[in-house]
Amino acid sequence: DAEITQSPRHKITETGRQVTLACHQTWNHNNMFWYRQDLGHGLRLIHYSYGVQDTNKGEVSDGYSVSRSNTEDLPLTLESAASSQTSVYFCASSESISGTIDTQYFGPGTRLTVL
Amino acid sequence: RKEVEQDPGPFNVPEGATVAFNCTYSNSASQSFFWYRQDCRKEPKLLMSVYSSGNEDGRFTAQLNRASQYISLLIRDSKLSDSATYLCVVNMEGPGGGNKLTFGTGTQLKVEL
């Protein structure tokens, strides 16, 4: 069955370290998204991509970067981890034909703790 | 003002009760609307889309009022398994023609015996 996976599921790191969170989907979806979820804020969009070589900043993109070299993967990199980036990170994908109502499918999430 | 606002709850209701959640959104250009369900420490999953004419899926009914920029979700005959957080989600077209979702902070429902 097609799916979306994230790794690692849990990560503890230290302030200042570079961290990369992986996201892989097998639906061949064009669109992929990274969100973070914090108490009181709900899900906030970090970065998103509408296809290979396309990336866009979301509302909380500072300190994060992504690259899209193939359809299946959108890794999220924290260049220099900060304690404020302790959060649960969700990756999502959607097929997205413009103009249609489009469901996003979420991965299981990665719990990141920055000490 | 938040783009999507929900009452955080929690709503504690007895099994069998009817419960309604409300949501308002600020951007009148919003194009489509959803309710997602999120169980504790799990990923959000689509519960239902919300159409202008209103739509029903079993015990769940969703309504949209574009003039008031208001979305609702009604759950009838609540089950223990309905206990979760319900996220109101608004879809807007992004710069590249794809879609971008804005999430409310969620309303927590606890169904009790």
Side-chain angles (χ1 to χ4, degrees), chain A residues 2-6 23-35 43 72 74 89-96 101-109, chain B residues 34 36-37 42-47 49 89 99 101 103:
Chain A
E3 60 178 357
I4 180 166
T5 57
Q6 293 182 234
C23 176
H24 179 80
Q25 52 96 3
T26 58
W27 283 299
N28 204 36
H29 284 169
N30 291 324
N31 294 351
M32 295 184 73
F33 306 83
W34 273 104
Y35 297 89
L43 282 146
E72 296 80 17
L74 187 70
Y89 291 85
F90 287 103
C91 179
S93 72
S94 69
E95 186 173 9
S96 181
I101 295 174
D102 191 34
T103 301
Q104 287 191 12
Y105 298 90
F106 285 80
Chain B
F34 308 89
Y36 275 69
R37 170 191 169 129
K42 299 280 192 177
E43 72 274 21
K45 293 183 179 179
L46 179 68
L47 177 65
S49 301
V89 185
N99 65 88
L101 299 184
F103 288 77

Side-chain angles (χ1 to χ4, degrees), chain B residues 64-78:
Chain B
L64 167 65
N65 184 322
R66 283 190 184 270
S68 301
Q69 295 180 204
Y70 170 97
I71 306 158
S72 66
L73 176 68
L74 183 76
I75 305 175
R76 291 181 300 278
D77 189 24
S78 302

Side-chain angles (χ1 to χ4, degrees), chain B:
Chain B
R1 181 185 172 188
K2 288 185 179 177
E3 290 185 280
V4 179
E5 292 205 64
Q6 296 181 251
D7 181 342
F11 284 60
N12 298 313
V13 303
E15 202 174 17
T18 295
V19 61
F21 305 138
N22 302 319
C23 168
T24 57
Y25 60 96
S26 62
N27 193 325
S28 60
S30 300
Q31 298 179 336
S32 48
F33 310 88
F34 308 89
W35 284 100
Y36 275 69
R37 170 191 169 129
Q38 186 173 24
D39 293 290
C40 188
R41 302 175 84 86
K42 299 280 192 177
E43 72 274 21
K45 293 183 179 179
L46 179 68
L47 177 65
M48 59 196 303
S49 301
V50 186
Y51 302 114
S52 295
S53 56
N55 49 298
E56 188 174 309
D57 182 2
R59 298 181 293 109
F60 299 84
T61 300
Q63 295 277 352
L64 167 65
N65 184 322
R66 283 190 184 270
S68 301
Q69 295 180 204
Y70 170 97
I71 306 158
S72 66
L73 176 68
L74 183 76
I75 305 175
R76 291 181 300 278
D77 189 24
S78 302
K79 311 291 184 192
L80 294 174
S81 57
D82 293 333
S83 297
T85 297
Y86 291 83
L87 307 175
C88 176
V89 185
V90 174
N91 183 353
M92 287 191 60
E93 187 160 321
N99 65 88
K100 192 161 67 73
L101 299 184
T102 300
F103 288 77
T105 54
T107 298
Q108 189 178 8
L109 172 66
K110 295 181 181 178
V111 181
E112 301 164 333
L113 286 172

